[in-house]
Amino acid sequence: MKVRGTGRGRRLGLTRDKVIDAALTAIDRDGPDSFSLRKLAGELGVEVMSLYNHVPNKDALLDGVAEVLLGGVDLSGADTGTWQERVRAYAAAFRAAALRHPKAFTLVLTRPTQSPAALDSIRCALAGFPELGLSPQELVHVVRSFAGFTVGMIMRELGSAITVGTVDPDQVQRRVDEMVAVGDPLLSAAAPFLAVSDHQAEFDHGIELLIAGLAARVGVPYDGGARGARS
């Protein structure tokens, strides 16, 4: 027997889109770990069972939120320019979307999805390298390498991955002192740089390493990086 809601949600004009939007707002505010259907129902002023008229369960709702976020990634700049410029635009678009939703965007990075938005994103990435004449298998390897770096760096920036660096200048010297105290010369030499997290610089540097490496692998010129490409 299918359990139905009380009908109050329907009287209030509740729809699947409104439920997902409300869930996104709550997760943006409190984070996914604090999210529950009971809390969401309370904020919407309905019984929990009313939500089941629009989403079958919590996982489906979180999938819906991830799809909305993924659909909001602006990939318009990832289909123009050279392949190197497209890679930069694609990676930058994902990072920008993540920084707009720093708590909720982890759902995009950690939940597998076959949604239309996900498949559009994958197709856009696969279409970014026509000049290189890659085989389908090599193309997938390349896309997954760039995607793995992008996801990892975004999760690190959002606080979902371990890092010894900090963006708090008041904590930098403490981190340096802790690493120097270990007594390892290599760690001590690197400590002033390990102690600092410059997410923008590290993201850009890593993307350029991947682009330069791919250019060298396929035997085409590297354009010198984002700054070199603009000059």
Side-chain angles (χ1 to χ4, degrees):
M1 181 176 71
K2 186 175 181 180
V3 179
R4 303 294 294 179
T6 63
R8 185 181 179 191
R10 289 189 294 274
R11 291 196 300 273
L12 294 175
L14 208 59
T15 65
R16 180 178 182 273
D17 287 345
K18 289 181 179 179
V19 170
I20 291 174
D21 286 345
L24 173 55
T25 298
I27 295 170
D28 261 340
R29 183 188 65 230
D30 302 324
D33 292 341
S34 298
F35 177 78
S36 71
L37 292 183
R38 185 172 300 278
K39 288 181 180 178
L40 180 64
E43 292 194 11
L44 290 171
V46 300
E47 299 295 329
V48 174
M49 296 308 298
S50 294
L51 299 179
Y52 294 122
N53 291 312
H54 310 285
V55 291
N57 50 52
K58 179 180 176 180
D59 278 340
L61 179 52
L62 294 179
D63 286 341
V65 171
E67 182 176 0
V68 166
L69 289 170
L70 190 54
V73 178
D74 181 7
L75 296 174
S76 59
D79 59 0
T80 59
T82 67
W83 69 267
Q84 299 182 41
E85 292 167 341
R86 290 194 292 271
V87 167
R88 294 183 189 106
Y90 190 94
F94 266 84
R95 180 170 180 265
L99 295 181
R100 287 195 298 271
H101 300 277
K103 292 182 179 179
F105 205 81
T106 55
L107 295 174
V108 174
L109 306 178
T110 58
R111 299 183 70 83
T113 177
Q114 297 295 323
S115 69
L119 295 178
D120 284 346
S121 176
I122 293 171
R123 189 196 177 285
C124 179
L126 292 171
F129 305 88
E131 306 97 313
L132 303 185
L134 302 174
S135 70
Q137 183 179 30
E138 181 73 4
L139 180 58
V140 169
H141 288 329
V142 167
V143 167
R144 283 179 173 168
S145 295
F146 280 102
F149 167 81
T150 302
V151 169
M153 289 297 288
I154 289 174
M155 290 189 69
R156 181 173 175 268
E157 184 168 4
L158 298 184
S160 298
I162 296 173
T163 176
V164 298
T166 177
V167 296
D168 184 348
D170 295 332
Q171 296 185 23
V172 170
Q173 190 57 50
R174 180 175 62 82
R175 300 282 174 91
V176 171
D177 293 342
E178 290 171 349
M179 287 182 274
V180 170
V182 174
D184 180 87
L186 182 59
L187 187 59
S188 295
F193 310 102
L194 287 171
V196 178
S197 288
D198 185 337
H199 296 300
Q200 178 72 66
E202 291 166 5
F203 189 85
D204 292 343
H205 186 74
I207 286 292
E208 294 309 319
L209 285 178
L210 288 170
I211 293 173
L214 179 56
R217 179 181 178 86
V218 300
V220 300
Y222 169 53
D223 65 13
R227 292 175 182 171
R230 289 194 295 265
S231 61

